[in-house]
Amino acid sequence: MPRNYAAADITVLTGLQPVRKRPGMYTNTECPNHLALEVVDNSIDEALAGHAHRIAVTLHSDGSMRVIDNGRGMPIDDHPQLKRPGAEVILTTLHAGAKFSNTHYRFAGGLHGVGVSVVNALSEKLQVTIKRNGSIYSLSFVQGALVTPMHIVGKCTLQERGTEIHFYPDQQYFDSVKFNGEQLQKSLRCKAILLPGLQVNYTDEQNGTYEEWCYDGGMSTYLQELTAERSLLADAIFQDDVEEDDQRVQWCIQWDTDGWGDNIRESYANLIPSGGSHVNGLRSGMIEALREFCQFHKLLPRGIKLVPDDLWNCCHYILSVYLTNAQFSGQTKERLTSKECTAFVSQIIKSRFSQWLNRHIHYGEQITAIAITQAQKRQKRATSRRMRGTPTALPVKLADCTTRDRSRAEIFIVEGDSAGGSAKQARIREYQAILPLRGKLLNTWEVDAEKALTNKEIQHISAAIGLPLGTDNLNGLRYGKVCILADADSDGAHIATLICALFWRHFRPIIDAGHFYIAQPPLYRIASGNRVVYAHSDRERLSILRQEKKSASIQTQRFKGLGEMNPLQLRDTTLSPDKRQLMQLQIASENDIREMMDILFSKKRANDRRQWLMKHSVSGH
């Protein structure tokens, strides 16, 4: 390792180099669907601004993607400062675009100015064709670099206009360069639904699929199609479209009479699928309006107080907001973070839902009855847990599963809030629950149950699994599998061992009954050409590299923690039952394990612990 560290050692990445160096920061590297949507969203922004009414998307048999719109066409004149055509600037410069102001786009999804330049950076080749001012212009790129400058290739009528982008995803940046056609079709159809009058065409040459969507009925027709086989509160549809102060919100909501099902919940911000602040506003506005309705009509039984989930768990909804300055959590725009949107949506929803409930009192009473039933079930579960000696409420941090079948239910006790966030997105919501822990768990090896329960994280574990410390009765256990999910490195092993000590010492029947597992996330991701494999240790990594040594291009990524894995990677490698490795903790030798735990955790055996660490250290010191 060099000892000197000077300014000359600092690398400055320019142009598209940051994207090609760290593609996972800009897109989803599982497959190139996000690239396709970045291009489509630029066309959608033209439609939102009223300049386009037709978009055509083609997945070619050679694996490339072509997107054509009849918008205004990318600028072909030179940028005043950079002295290059506008289209070239857009495709080669990060944070370059016309959406940082409201001059040309009042509402837009492409807000960061990096979307289509990321597509260019991560494509083997990309060609742009622009129809504008009676001429057809073309320019092309290879691996993000301009190879054919803008030039005129033909003539068109003055009425013809638009942009065509044809790109070939570069396989070195993706686990698979194959587009997910089913997901693309769903995304494109939603764009057409949310923009009535927009014609969207989709062609898949690989399987001969052709679809054309153009909706005039909007989201209510769409939601009714999705809920056609559900048990719904008949004809009770709450929908509206409200615009105030350069913000707009549209919604359509229906109620499920059963509740606690796998509900239809879709939310969009500037036509980008995303959760976040607008969903929070919908949730709070609805429960406030229902509480006021119940209070005015005296509908609540004594002892019942409605919480948001009592209403939320029995509704299906489509929500769409339009903001002039939308803020997202990252380039993939999975979460809207605009704080002012929560207040805006909450205020509108509360006002309109209150009016709707009081105009349709019979529906309001039925919705209240459904919510009360959910509240009573919730209180019954809380009472049952209290009788078993566990805390009265589930931890706020617990993302619970929906199934009530214990044999299918799984809980993953996850190291850290960051990893917990990734795990919540990666999980299979129906039967997988996530409980994130903060920091290293208390060493409970020589601690009794009363003292252990003074630790908040242990309280959360006890409440989540449904058992008090020291119990011999597993009747209250809420999950058939209790799993540790920690980082694959030494710090993760330390935390996993602390959790093992807790369960050995205070929840031993769970281990004895075969309910306790340790998840095995990978430590490395190794890409060789279009083949991706994962290694769980340094030894496994070296073995894979020896097997792949003939490959000219091998990329190795070491995961610093679970939070560094994107949700799809975490699901495929660690949570998916078809691909994961779960190690069941079994007792081979009672005395040997007890002795090992005592060496690792007993305060009186610090010298034995030091000798053990020296003996088993890789470096020997």
Side-chain angles (χ1 to χ4, degrees), residues 15-16 19 26 38 42 45 74-75 79-82 84-101 105 110-118 331:
L16 300 180
V19 183
Y26 297 88
E38 288 286 8
N42 278 354
D45 287 342
M74 283 185 176
H79 189 276
Q81 282 81 43
L82 301 178
R84 291 184 289 148
E88 181 184 332
V89 172
I90 290 170
L91 286 154
T92 59
T93 309
L94 295 178
H95 306 296
K99 298 164 189 175
F100 295 106
S101 70
Y105 296 93
L111 296 162
H112 301 149
V114 300
V116 76
S117 57
V118 168
Q331 176 56 29

Side-chain angles (χ1 to χ4, degrees), residues 188-261:
L188 293 170
R189 184 188 181 199
C190 287
K191 307 289 188 186
I193 289 162
L194 296 171
L195 273 179
L198 174 66
Q199 179 183 326
V200 180
N201 299 334
Y202 172 76
T203 303
D204 187 341
E205 294 181 352
Q206 296 178 345
N207 57 24
T209 300
Y210 176 80
E211 297 283 352
E212 181 177 311
W213 302 285
C214 185
Y215 287 85
D216 292 321
M219 60 175 62
S220 63
T221 302
Y222 175 53
L223 183 59
Q224 289 179 66
E225 289 179 8
L226 294 179
T227 58
E229 298 181 2
R230 303 299 182 108
S231 300
L232 299 176
L233 191 58
D235 299 325
I237 301 176
F238 172 48
Q239 60 180 326
D240 212 333
D241 184 342
V242 180
E243 183 172 342
E244 289 184 3
D245 300 327
D246 291 328
Q247 298 181 94
R248 180 183 174 191
V249 56
Q250 300 172 287
W251 68 88
C252 183
I253 302 173
Q254 292 180 295
W255 282 269
D256 197 305
T257 57
D258 293 336
W260 296 100

